[in-house]
């Protein structure tokens, strides 16, 4: 109930400040705000990189030669190839930039598909209950407990048989990841639907005689999907990792179809023995950074949505107090999380 | 530290000009503004007030238990030391030995994964080296002193193995074990049923008399105050508006707010006349041998919430159902509204048999039933405006095309429940609890129902707000003449509204009849106990009632 | 002052296995509530009678939980089977492009893949019941033999990784909860996110670059040096777990060689899980630290360190352990990547080999095998959690 109210609190604010992330940004303080902003900036950089890849990247992702002839293989960073070239003769920098496009495209496909399927199933299953619910729950739980990577491998075998074109590859990777995520959305939405089902406002609508469809869509759906933006960001980061892992195992998108960081890392693995670092470090760093950015956003949203985890600004007067007294964290038995306001007493 | 040396033998706590400020999303809130109070040993000081009055914050300050977002100034002298300035280490030493706390909700105040003996021993061992054996011995001893039967065995029980009242005894035992000079009891009986409440109040009285502790009692319940308090401080919006000894306060309140507060408390008085509906009046609800069982999980036996209950509600009549938690009163209300399946016997609602009913057959009748839920916080969809929510019954039953078309009727309804029309455009969180319950009433009346079910509609409200909502309910009922089932745990509240009262106990209807009969000359032992347990807001009368209850329990 | 509505139908008196299980990188937030929901909603309704109905509660719980393994495994193998067969079949998917239609048909017929799917399915289930997970297409080895040969290596790797994860996750998680929103907490959290954001193979690649190639401290990959591996081969009745075999030889050179080889794979896999554990412990301990029973203990003068380490930690442990169980399953998934990265010849490495060889019968077999292992692991973890939670025990 507290969360419901908190989330609805800003409804009268201008529309732009009610957008998921903007609203949270306004509410955040201190270090939490710092984490959120860092995350948003990283995500924006990658997004821009993906959109303007054709302009930023000096070469195509599958390009092996230019007017000056074939690219050298495993060449260290130089002015021609600022991050060097791979064992196959691709330009590392270009492939990293193009890779952002692939990663983001797959994430979008995966997230949209899994949200649509997961939300529908979760809503129906949670609200209607009965045998359908039970079966879906057991299935979702079984799939959920299974290592997601293995499942993604199986699905990608089924869909593409392992070989793929650009669009086909993106869709195949997206679907593989979707299968892993659907149970997650299903569980979250179902749990919400079950909770909302016994909320007074839903029961009150039932007493009035509203049809099941009306209750589900007017009352349950919108309230149940409120926490989705948050799960969505966190799952986006997992989608990037799953895509990279599939690529690493050779089930990603081939080098001529698109640039994919996991595939590049796979190829780079054998380079390490001879000390060739640039083929692996750059695509790897790209994965880490993008996941880091998305996760920072997700974690911050998570904290802000949970009253227990959220930091609030301290009461104003404290500022004056702390400037006089030294750091309150010094002392052998300081209180963490909550309690005791002895610091303020000296004012 | 204080310069003025007071007679510390008598003053256990001395709060001077306490100010507490919280940081919230909506800006800083001055929860406590310049409160000064003293408590002497062997005395019960009650701090009374409604939600937001700052009473709990004041009490928690005595233990230095304020959240990080709060800032306190002033002084809280505990046997001569200022809790606000002595530093965290000393505060920790004081906690448990000089001041201890009893919490509102015993089920959350006990750690679910440790035995109660271990938890009591933790408090002992936090203050000096005590052997495990010795700590256990003391735990057993204190458990027996707070009235836990068979303490040698139960010291090894986990909290979930105790009933609610016993849990609260354990919490009190934990507070008492180091013999603190001050006990802060924050709404110690609010989560408990009224019969259990009486026992816990007795135990707290013994804490004062036998252990000589000073007790700071935080409560909103004037009956509890009358029962236990020696002195009373009334708080309102962060300030103490009146402080007096208990007898004086109840007999001769000075401050306007105190007067209003006392005036709002529903009393158990005979209402005199009652228009008894004629015998041939149309029957709206008719239950014969009604049984309701909740299915158990995974083959476990189900839970029989209602075990063969007979009652009727005639047209225009208000039936009050009273009972403690687990009595099945809410279940009956839900069954009448078609929210819970009837599993045995017969329940006729507006001529429809609910045992084995199909939603298709019952749906047209739903237009004639209104329901007011207990929790004002969740009774409205947070994403719809009040007007949209109130219009829903009209739309569902085809009386209006959409919320806009229904607006005229909605405004009418808002007026009927004494809410400004403009509130229709607000979202639920922008209304207070009392306003939301009125809007809830408006929604339930939208289709002019023949039957209204009100499930504890005021139990989440402050007493002064409750009084206004109850008044409104009574007015609307007599104007519109609907039949009503009014469910409550509070006899006094039911008495205000009902024509007839039914008393439920563990799923059985132990007694029913007209108000005056049930309340004036109860026949069943349980009804008698329930009546005698209810504290009344008058210290001398309450003392007499206490004696009566003792006699009753001795007899039983 | 809200009086609880009495609806006895809805009390989750136990943290039931299925309700409580969640994957870690889905929100631990939910998990905090698993516990906190249990106490307040388990209503005091039939008060004392709650204690009486619990006879044999634990035995019953263990039994029900044990029986739940069956549908879990059943669903997973069914899912994998139908995914693999309905959409195509392993032979067409692996060699279809390289064979003429007649050849392909012969191969399909030989493998029995031209029969009705239901017949194949029934046969497959029957095989599984007999512990027969199939035979690989490429080298005609039984999947169960592969388990016996390579299972030890994976167990060893997962065990090391788990130790590292626990050593990182639990103390640091409690520290972060204790110092929440101060600088050390932020640093720990960013560290945790970093470990999570770094794919195992990238972490492995970096470790190899730094410690093997540049510093030369640690071996590049494999489970032991060739010479040592030969020496270990002579151990009678080898367990397949090199450390145990090495200890049995009592030769310190062998032991240290085996351990040195394990350092990087264990770190790479352990760090990622450790970061997840850290977040998990932090969130749950913060949740229980804010609970009233911790406040109650504080009001009796219990020190802050003890509040975190005991009063808040043990209740938080129930959801933590449940999620850790899921993480062990995820470690198996991660071991595929780790073993590939470091040439650590375990089940994951073999899986990757069969994947590259497009031997999907082998893949299906190994995946089904892992499904059984995962289900059993989760069962054990849930039982452990039940032993910590007295509400299940009594």
């Amino acid at each position: 109930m507290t969360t419901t109210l908190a989330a609805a609190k800003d409804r009268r604010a201008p529309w732009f400040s009610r957008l998921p992330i903007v609203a949270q940004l306004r509410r955040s303080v201190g270090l939490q705000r710092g984490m959120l902003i860092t995350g948003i900036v990283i995500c924006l950089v990658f997004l821009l990189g993906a959109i303007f890849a054709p302009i930023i990247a000096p070469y195509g992702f599958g390009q092996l030669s230019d007017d000056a002839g074939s690219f050298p293989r495993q060449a260290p960073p130089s002015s021609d190839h600022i991050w060097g070239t791979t064992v196959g003769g691709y330009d590392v920098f270009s492939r990293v930039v193009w890779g952002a496009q692939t990663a983001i495209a797959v994430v979008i496909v995966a997230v949209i598909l899994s949200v649509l399927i997961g939300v529908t199933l979760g809503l129906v299953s949670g609200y209607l209950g009965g045998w359908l619910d039970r079966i879906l729950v057991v299935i979702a739980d079984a799939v959920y407990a299974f290592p997601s990577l293995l499942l993604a491998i199986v699905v990608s075998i089924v869909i593409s048989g392992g070989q793929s074109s650009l669009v086909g590859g993106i869709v195949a990777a997206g679907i593989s990841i979707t299968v892993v995520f659907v149970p997650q959305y299903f569980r979250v939405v179902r749990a919400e639907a079950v909770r909302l089902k016994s909320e007074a406002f839903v029961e009150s609508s039932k007493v009035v005689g509203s049809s099941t469809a009306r209750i589900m869509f007017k009352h349950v759906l919108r309230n149940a999907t409120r926490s989705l933006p948050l799960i969505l960001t966190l799952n986006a980061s997992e989608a990037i990792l799953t895509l990279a892992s599939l690529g690493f195992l050779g089930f990603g998108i081939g080098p001529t179809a698109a640039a994919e960081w996991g595939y590049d890392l796979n190829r780079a693995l054998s380079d390490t023995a001879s000390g060739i670092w640039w083929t692996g470090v750059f695509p790897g760093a790209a994965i880490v950074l993008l996941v880091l950015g998305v996760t920072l956003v997700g974690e911050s949203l998570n904290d802000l949505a949970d009253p227990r985890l959220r930091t609030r600004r301290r009461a104003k007067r404290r500022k004056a107090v702390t400037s006089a007294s030294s750091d309150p964290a010094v002392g052998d038995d300081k209180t963490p999380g909550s309690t005791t306001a002895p610091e303020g007493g000296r004012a | 530290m204080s310069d003025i040396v007071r007679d510390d033998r008598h003053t256990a706590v001395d709060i001077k000009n306490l100010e507490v400020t919280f940081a919230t999303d909506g800006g800083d809130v001055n929860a406590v503004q310049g409160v000064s109070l003293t408590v002497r040993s062997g005395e019960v000081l009650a701090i009374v007030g409604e939600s937001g009055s700052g009473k709990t914050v004041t009490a928690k300050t005595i233990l230095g238990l304020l959240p990080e977002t709060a800032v306190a100034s002033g002084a809280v002298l505990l046997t001569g030391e200022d809790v606000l300035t002595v530093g965290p280490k000393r505060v920790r030493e004081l906690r448990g030995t000089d001041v201890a706390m009893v919490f509102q909700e015993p089920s959350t105040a006990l750690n679910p994964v440790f035995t109660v003996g271990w938890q009591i021993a933790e408090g002992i061992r936090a203050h000096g080296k005590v052997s495990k054996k010795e700590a256990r011995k003391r735990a057993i001893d204190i458990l027996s002193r707070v009235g836990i039967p068979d303490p040698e065995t139960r010291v090894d029980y986990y909290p979930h193995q105790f009933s609610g009242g016993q849990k609260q005894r354990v919490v009190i035992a934990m507070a008492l074990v180091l013999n603190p000079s001050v006990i802060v009891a924050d709404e110690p009986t609010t989560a408990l049923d009224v019969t259990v409440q009486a026992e816990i109040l007795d135990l707290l009285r013994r804490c004062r008399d036998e252990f000589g502790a000073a007790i700071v009692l935080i409560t909103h319940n004037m009956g509890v105050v009358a029962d236990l308090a020696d002195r009373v401080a009334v708080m309102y919006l962060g300030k103490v508006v009146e402080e007096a000894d208990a007898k004086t306060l109840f007999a001769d309140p000075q401050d306007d707010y105190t007067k209003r507060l006392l005036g709002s408390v529903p009393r158990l008085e005979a209402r005199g006349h009652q228009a008894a509906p004629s015998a041939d009046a149309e029957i709206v609800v008719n239950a014969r041998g009604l049984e309701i069982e909740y299915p158990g999980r995974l083959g476990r036996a189900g839970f029989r919430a209602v075990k063969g209950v007979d009652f009727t509600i005639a047209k225009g009549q208000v039936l009050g159902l009273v009972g403690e938690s687990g009595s099945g009163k809410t279940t009956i209300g839900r069954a009448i509204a078609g929210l819970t399946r009837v599993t045995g016997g017969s329940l006729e609602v507006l001529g429809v048999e609910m045992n084995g009913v199909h939603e298709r057959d019952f749906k047209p009748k739903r237009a004639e039933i209104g329901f007011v839920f207990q929790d004002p916080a969740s009774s409205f969809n947070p994403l719809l405006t009040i007007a949209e929510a109130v219009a829903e019954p009209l739309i569902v039953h085809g009386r209006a095309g959409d919320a806009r078309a229904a607006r005229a009727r909605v405004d009418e309804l808002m007026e009927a429940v004494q809410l400004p029309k403009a509130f229709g455009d607000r979202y639920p969180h922008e209304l207070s609890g009392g306003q939301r319950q009125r809007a809830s009433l408006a929604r339930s009346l939208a289709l002019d129902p023949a039957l209204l079910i009100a499930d504890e509609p005021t139990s989440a409200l402050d007493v002064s707000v409750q009084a206004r909502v109850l008044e409104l309910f009574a007015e609307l009922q007599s104007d519109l003449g609907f039949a009503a089932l009014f469910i409550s745990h509070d006899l006094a509240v039911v008495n205000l509204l009902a024509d007839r009262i039914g008393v439920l106990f563990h799923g059985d209807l132990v007694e029913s009849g007209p108000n005056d009969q049930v309340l004036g000359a109860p026949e069943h032992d349980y009804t008698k106990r329930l009546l005698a347990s209810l504290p009344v807001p008058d210290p001398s009368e309450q003392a007499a009632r206490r004696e009566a209850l003792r006699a009753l329990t001795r007899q039983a | 002052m809200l009086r609880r509505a009495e609806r006895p139908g809805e009390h989750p008196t136990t943290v039931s296995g299925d309700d409580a299980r969640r994957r870690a990188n889905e929100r631990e937030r939910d998990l905090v509530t698993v516990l906190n929901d249990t106490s307040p909603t388990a209503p005091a309704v039939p008060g004392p009678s709650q204690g009486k109905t619990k006879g044999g509660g634990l035995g019953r719980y263990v039994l029900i939980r044990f029986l739940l393994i069956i549908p879990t495994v059943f669903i997973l193998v069914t899912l994998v089977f139908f995914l693999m067969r309905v959409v195509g079949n392993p032979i067409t998917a692996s060699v279809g492009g390289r064979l003429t239609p007649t050849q392909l048909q012969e191969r399909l017929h030989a493998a029995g893949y031209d029969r009705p799917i239901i017949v194949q399915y029934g046969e497959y289930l029957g095989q599984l019941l007999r512990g027969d997970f199939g035979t690989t297409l490429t080298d005609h080895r039984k999947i169960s033999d592969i388990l016996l040969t390579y299972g030890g290596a994976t167990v060893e790797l997962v065990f090391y990784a788990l130790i590292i994860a626990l050593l990182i996750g639990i103390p640091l998680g409690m520290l972060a909860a204790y110092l929440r929103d101060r600088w050390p907490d932020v640093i720990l959290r960013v560290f945790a996110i970093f470990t999570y954001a770094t794919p195992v193979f990238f972490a492995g690649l970096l470790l190899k670059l730094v410690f093997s190639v540049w510093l030369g401290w640690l071996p590049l990959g494999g489970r032991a040096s060739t010479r040592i591996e030969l020496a270990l081969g002579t151990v009678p009745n080898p367990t397949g777990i090199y450390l145990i075999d090495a200890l049995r030889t009592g030769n310190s050179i062998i032991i240290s060689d085996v351990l040195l080889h394990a350092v990087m794979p264990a770190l790479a896999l352990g760090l990622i899980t450790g970061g997840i554990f850290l977040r998990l412990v932090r969130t749950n301990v913060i949740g229980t630290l804010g609970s009233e029973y911790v406040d109650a203990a504080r009001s009796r003068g219990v020190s802050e360190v003890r509040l975190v380490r005991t009063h808040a930690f043990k209740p938080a442990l129930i959801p933590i352990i449940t999620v850790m169980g899921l993480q062990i399953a995820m470690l198996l998934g991660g071991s595929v990547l780790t073993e590939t990265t470091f040439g650590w010849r375990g089940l994951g490495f073999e899986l990757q080999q069969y994947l590259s060889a497009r031997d999907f019968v082998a893949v299906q077999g190994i995946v089904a095998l892992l499904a059984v292992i995962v289900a059993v692991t989760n069962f054990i973890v849930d039982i452990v959690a039940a032993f910590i939670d007295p509400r299940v025990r009594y």
Side-chain angles (χ1 to χ4, degrees), chain C residues 22-74:
Chain C
R22 290 199 159 76
R23 186 180 301 172
N25 38 18
E26 193 218 317
R27 307 323 45 154
E28 304 95 318
R29 172 178 55 90
D30 298 336
L31 282 152
V32 186
T33 53
V34 169
L35 190 85
N36 292 348
D37 278 356
T38 319
S39 33
T41 30
V45 180
S49 75
Q50 262 186 337
K52 288 173 203 154
T53 53
K54 296 248 159 89
L58 183 64
R60 194 191 160 82
Y61 175 78
V62 172
L63 182 72
I64 291 177
R65 188 57 196 78
F66 178 77
L67 292 177
L68 267 174
I69 293 180
I70 298 167
T72 309
V73 171
F74 174 75

Side-chain angles (χ1 to χ4, degrees), chain B residues 92 95-96 103 105 108 111-112 119 122 127 158 160 193 298 303 326-330 374 460-461 489, chain C residues 1-4 6 8 45 60 292-293 296 298-301 303 306 310-311 314-315 390-391 393-394:
Chain B
R92 187 173 80 71
R95 289 180 191 153
F103 290 80
E105 183 68 67
T108 58
N111 197 322
Q119 294 186 53
E122 268 298 282
H127 300 281
Y158 288 92
H160 72 274
D193 281 324
L298 284 168
F303 176 77
S327 63
K329 55 188 192 302
T330 294
Q374 171 183 13
L461 305 178
H489 66 280
Chain C
M1 59 179 287
L2 261 172
R3 296 188 66 88
R4 266 179 269 106
E6 330 119 70
V45 180
R60 194 191 160 82
E292 199 161 64
Y293 48 77
R298 184 179 281 130
S299 82
R300 283 177 276 130
S303 71
R306 192 160 171 80
T310 312
H311 293 254
K314 196 173 169 194
R391 286 163 299 188
R393 239 186 305 156
Y394 292 96

Side-chain angles (χ1 to χ4, degrees), chain B residues 234-301:
Chain B
V234 181
M235 282 189 74
Y236 181 61
L237 296 178
K239 296 197 174 85
V240 173
V241 294
E242 184 164 3
E243 193 185 344
D245 67 273
K247 284 216 172 77
T248 322
L249 186 100
F250 282 98
D252 184 20
Q254 296 300 311
D255 187 82
D256 282 346
Y257 174 72
T258 316
K259 285 179 195 164
R260 244 192 311 137
L261 193 64
L262 283 171
S264 310
V265 180
R267 282 157 206 263
L268 261 183
E269 286 157 350
R271 275 161 74 215
H273 78 289
Q274 248 141 67
S278 49
D280 56 329
E282 192 188 324
I283 298 294
V284 181
V285 178
N286 188 3
R288 290 286 161 257
L290 172 64
E291 280 181 34
I292 298 166
E293 184 173 321
Y294 289 101
R297 266 194 187 180
L298 284 168
R300 272 167 215 255

Side-chain angles (χ1 to χ4, degrees), chain C residues 246-267:
Chain C
L247 285 173
R248 275 164 51 189
T249 65
N251 185 331
S252 63
I253 299 174
I254 297 183
I255 298 174
S256 68
D257 182 74
V258 165
L259 283 177
L260 276 180
H261 276 85
V263 172
M264 288 198 302
L267 264 182

Side-chain angles (χ1 to χ4, degrees), chain B residues 205 359 463 540 554:
Chain B
R205 211 181 337 272
E359 178 60 28
V463 61
S540 32
R554 257 200 304 277

Side-chain angles (χ1 to χ4, degrees), chain B residues 290 292 330-340 342 347 349 354:
Chain B
L290 172 64
I292 298 166
T330 294
T331 306
I332 292 177
R334 294 172 56 83
I336 294 175
L339 287 173
T340 298
V342 174
L347 176 68
V349 179
M354 297 300 287

Side-chain angles (χ1 to χ4, degrees), chain A residues 56-93:
Chain A
I56 298 169
Y59 308 105
F61 49 80
Q63 198 175 341
L64 288 168
S65 58
D66 59 4
D67 301 341
S70 290
F71 294 158
R73 295 179 176 222
Q74 296 185 322
S78 64
S79 57
D80 278 345
H81 303 282
I82 53 168
W83 287 353
T85 58
T86 70
V87 63
Y90 298 113
D91 178 60
V92 175
F93 177 66

